[in-house]
Every structure is written in structure tokens, then in C-alpha cells.
Amino acid sequence: MAKGQRQKNLLWLQSGGCGGCTLSLLCAEAPDLTTSLAAANINLLWHPSLSLETGQQVMEIFEDIRQGRTKLDILCLEGSVIQGPDGTGKFHMVAGGNGLSMKDLIAELAGLAEQVVAVGTCAAFGGVTTAGDNMVEACGLSYEGNTKGGLLGGNYKSALSLPVVNIPGCPTHPDWITETLGHVASQTMKPADLDHLGRPRAISSPLVHHGCSRNEFYEYKASAEKLCDLGCMMENLGCKGTQAAGDCNQRPWNGSGSCITGGYPCIACTEPGFEEPGHMFTTTPKLAGIPIGLPTDMPKAWFVALASLSKAATPKRLRENAVSDRVKVQPTSRLFKKPGTTSGKTGS
């Protein structure tokens, strides 16, 4: 930090959600959360789960922002905005807020913040809280599903001329949060750095499919039939890694894994509407035997042709291992005969 440079003040609020994004954030490493904030010159004014202040002390922090005594540079919201019943926001009131709803507090502070950041898919698009009949009238900050709107409206622009910056995920990757906050705090983020849903392109440009440990099975359409199988989970088990934004398999969670490497299909939690796929998460809907959810940008005819050729060329090793819970057939070299033969190398 340059000598005398003012730290950027960050206020974190939690609304309609499970707190999972904060739990994920605490797992940030290389660097950890505290080091990341210090490196980005960010001062955490208050966080409902990580800060010591409660009750009246918190209300004083809010009042200092209202009165201009404390500049609010970054407002982060985790969880969806609860607008019910009938748009009053009274389903979620501010503790000690003298009748103030969280909905109104978020709207007020968003108007005072230099930049607003939605942490997680709930805050960005509504997420799990909006599933079903959405009796609580939940929404995102500037989206309801994939439709612009939300609490702040689809035309919201910050003092930095940016829309709400949406960090997707359920929960979101800790590095996505720390890197995005650093980018925002540096005031170098431009509209071109965000995609059509307000997500940083550093997050949304890769697909979950990129770097997947099961890509060899995918290439040959050697498909798993049940969750414990090693094969590709797109054809039968609902995996949407070829359609979902995120570098989950290139930048492993906690340095070691992802949903797919853990044996569960990608459910596209970085995308609006993932919470209601219209089918079980572990089922791939099909029409005439062809998966409905095809890889991004791939025409159906191409997929059918590619899948047919790939299946015809599937090596025995992949075909058998795909429906097994462990590697049963080991790779072999063409230069050597199988054990038990008299000659070491094959003929030319």
C-alpha cells in the first residue's frame, strides 16, 4: 500500500441464504482471507459472522455511513434479497433496526456505496431461495433469474459506472471473491471485464468442463451409469460441466478437488436458474436418446455424429473403467507385449 493511501472500506451484509459463501471464503489460501484483504488495501468495516460488533454498535456503523462520516467503497451482499410479504420486506427485518427491513437497508446502502458486489448465486440471481413458489419474494440485486431487474433494477450503475458485479457459485470459490474484490478495490475494473450477466470474465470465460479429470471419458463418450462410476457423467448423470461457467477444475477447491473429481456431476451453480433444472440433478433428460442439455455452442447434429464415432472408437480400457468404481484396466504400451509373452517388443 502506498504511504498515506486511504484503505477501501468494505461492508458485508447477509440476507436470504445459508452463509455458505462466507464458509467458503474462510477457506481461501495462497493467500488467506486476511492477507488477501490487506494486499488489496481493503478495510473490512463489518461482517455479520466475522466481526465482533453487534446490536447498537452495528447500527452506529450504518449511521456513520449514512451521515458521510465513513465512506462506503464496496458493499457486498451474500444471500438473496427478501422482498415479501407484498414487497414490504418484513419477512427479514434488521435486528435492532427499529422496524427497518433488510431490503430497505440494502437499497439505501447500495445508493451510498461506490460499488456493489453480489457474492454467490443467491445475491446475484436469486438462487436456491427463489425455488418453488418463492413465497418470500426473493430476488437478486439486479437480476431475477436471468432477467434483469431485482432489487436495484436492471439499469443500475455504480459510481464506477459498473453494474452490480456478480460473483456466481453456490457456494462461490474463495479465490473468485478475493480476486474480484481486489480488482474492484483497485478501481481498474471496466465494463468490458464483465460478461452479459455481470460476472467477471476471469470467472465466466472458462467452462467447468475445461480441465475436468474425466475428459478422456468424455472424448470417447464412455459414460458412467451410476454415481460411483469413473466415466463421464454428462450422458446419464446430469453433469452440466460443458455448459457452466467456472474454472472449478482448473483451480481446484482447497487445492485438491471439485464437484466432479469428488464424484458428483456439475449442477451449473454459477448459472441463473440452476436451482430448478426441471429434473433430478443426477439425471440427464433425453429426447430420442439424445441429451437435451448439449455442450455449449455445439449443434445437435454435430453432437450425434461425434458421439457415434467416438463410441465406435472407444478403447476397451475406457469402456470398462467408465462403469467401474476403480481403474480395472491399466493403460498398456503398443511397444510391449502383455506379461507372459516371450518377446519384449512387438515387430515393426
Side-chain angles (χ1 to χ4, degrees), residues 246-263:
D247 58 3
C248 308
N249 287 304
Q250 295 172 306
R251 176 166 29 188
W253 291 67
N254 299 325
S256 62
S258 67
C259 295
I260 295 174
T261 54

Side-chain angles (χ1 to χ4, degrees), residues 22 46 57 137 212:
T22 288
W46 185 73
Q57 295 170 312
E137 301 171 34
C212 177

Side-chain angles (χ1 to χ4, degrees), residues 218 290-307:
Y218 169 82
I290 302 172
I292 292 176
L294 295 178
T296 298
D297 300 332
M298 178 173 283
K300 183 180 295 185
W302 291 10
F303 179 83
V304 173
L306 177 63

